């Protein structure tokens, strides 16, 4: 009884976020997945367990934010980026340490991923760099917490104009695909796990099957996306 009601609550919650602009969190995502969201393609609904995992991340953010606030270093929590024409987003926190501002992004990951984390995940780096760009802040912190034992690791980043430009170029190319109503190609270097857990896996497969008869010349004319450009 309660299990079904709870799962329905999370399924309904997942449908509430409209897609009419890019989000900073899209920085490292597959461009085809973003396109499908814009065009409201049918997708698999996340199960209740997946949504509860997302909720756990939200609660962790609240707890860590409370700790930083109690230290007196917080200058803002859940801070919206300045208004942009095509991009929206909200940073977890902006803090001040030794008179220097930092944008902070909290991440919760599995114990297995945490144990192997020697460098920050590139998706997360791109997001944080974009936040630094829009807030005009030169430093940022990626703070990872192990879901199993609450151990933490931090990575301090400097503003990197090249990374930011890479992401903005990706958004610009993707905007062109969206306006032309042309499905973008799958990045050549996409990791298998992204496709395996993608909500739009069925829609993507249908698009690929419909292109089986497309000539190699036409396929060669498409832009290529890359996660590690």
């Amino acid at each position: 009884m309660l299990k079904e009601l709870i799962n329905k609550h999370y399924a309904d919650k997942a449908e509430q976020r409209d897609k009419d602009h890019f989000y900073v969190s899209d920085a490292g995502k597959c461009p085809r997945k973003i396109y499908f969201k814009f065009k409201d393609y049918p997708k698999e609904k996340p199960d209740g367990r997946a949504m509860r995992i997302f909720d756990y991340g939200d609660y962790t953010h609240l707890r860590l934010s409370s700790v930083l606030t109690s230290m007196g270093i917080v200058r803002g929590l859940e801070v919206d980026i300045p208004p942009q024409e095509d991009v929206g987003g909200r940073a977890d926190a902006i803090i001040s340490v030794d008179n220097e501002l930092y944008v902070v992004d909290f991440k919760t990951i599995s114990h297995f991923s945490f144990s192997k984390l020697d460098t920050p995940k590139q998706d997360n780096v791109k997001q944080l760099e974009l936040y630094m760009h829009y807030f005009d802040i030169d430093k940022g912190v990626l703070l990872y917490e192990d879901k199993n034992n609450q151990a933490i690791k931090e990575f301090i980043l400097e503003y990197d104009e090249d990374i930011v430009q890479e992401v903005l170029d990706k958004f610009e190319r993707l905007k062109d695909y969206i306006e032309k109503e042309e499905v973008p190609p799958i990045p050549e270097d996409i990791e298998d796990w992204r496709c395996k857990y993608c909500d739009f896996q069925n829609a993507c497969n249908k698009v690929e099957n419909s292109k089986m008869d497309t000539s190699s010349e036409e396929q060669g004319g498409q832009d290529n996306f890359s996660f590690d450009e």
Side-chain angles (χ1 to χ4, degrees), residues 3-217:
K3 176 182 176 181
E4 287 75 15
L5 290 173
I6 291 171
N7 286 343
K8 183 179 184 302
H9 166 79
Y10 281 108
D12 293 341
K13 182 179 178 181
E15 296 299 320
Q16 293 175 2
R17 193 183 194 190
D18 295 329
K19 193 68 175 178
D20 54 7
H21 58 268
F22 300 123
Y23 290 95
V24 172
S25 57
D26 291 330
K29 291 181 180 178
C30 173
R32 180 173 285 192
K33 179 176 182 177
I34 300 170
Y35 176 91
F36 286 152
K37 284 185 178 180
F38 265 90
K39 297 301 182 180
D40 200 25
Y41 273 60
K43 66 176 181 178
E44 297 294 325
K45 290 187 176 182
D47 59 26
R49 178 176 176 273
M51 294 303 297
R52 289 193 294 276
I53 290 174
F54 295 147
D55 244 8
Y56 177 86
D58 290 341
Y59 292 135
T60 299
H61 289 190
L62 289 173
R63 176 168 47 79
L64 293 174
S65 296
S66 177
V67 172
L68 296 182
T69 299
S70 68
M71 296 166 59
I73 62 175
V74 171
R75 296 296 175 265
L77 294 173
E78 297 292 321
V79 187
D80 290 321
I81 66 172
Q84 308 295 319
E85 181 179 356
D86 298 317
V87 183
R90 181 179 298 167
D92 290 334
I94 295 177
I95 64 172
S96 177
V97 178
D98 295 330
N99 295 318
E100 286 194 289
L101 291 176
Y102 296 79
V103 182
V104 181
D105 203 9
F106 303 125
K107 301 295 181 185
T108 55
I109 58 177
S110 69
H111 178 70
F112 177 76
S113 296
F114 186 88
S115 64
K116 300 191 302 178
L117 193 67
D118 297 321
T119 59
K121 295 176 178 292
Q122 282 304 301
D123 286 7
N124 304 152
V125 170
K126 291 177 181 179
Q127 293 175 31
L128 186 58
E129 289 287 347
L130 208 54
Y131 281 129
M132 286 190 275
H133 171 74
Y134 287 124
F135 288 118
D136 195 21
I137 294 175
D138 292 333
K139 294 185 178 181
V141 182
L142 278 170
L143 191 67
Y144 292 89
E145 182 175 284
D146 187 323
K147 293 179 181 179
N148 291 47
N149 57 24
Q150 286 68 60
I152 59 175
K153 291 181 181 180
E154 71 170 7
F155 299 93
I156 300 175
L157 304 181
E158 301 279 347
Y159 178 71
D160 189 319
E161 185 177 357
D162 290 338
I163 293 177
V164 170
Q165 193 58 53
E166 171 195 327
V167 176
L168 295 179
D169 288 345
K170 169 188 172 179
F171 284 166
E172 192 62 32
R173 285 181 287 140
L174 186 50
K175 180 181 178 181
D176 188 53
Y177 275 102
I178 292 169
E179 291 175 347
K180 291 180 178 178
E181 298 194 351
E182 179 181 345
V183 179
I186 300 173
E188 294 179 352
D189 57 349
I190 192 170
E191 302 95 332
D192 291 340
W193 65 265
R194 292 182 187 268
C195 296
K196 181 179 179 181
Y197 293 104
C198 181
D199 298 335
F200 294 97
Q201 188 174 163
N202 289 335
C204 189
N205 289 337
K206 288 181 180 179
V207 169
E208 288 302 297
N209 291 336
S210 69
K211 294 168 62 178
M212 291 295 290
D213 295 330
T214 303
S215 69
S216 58
E217 179 180 350

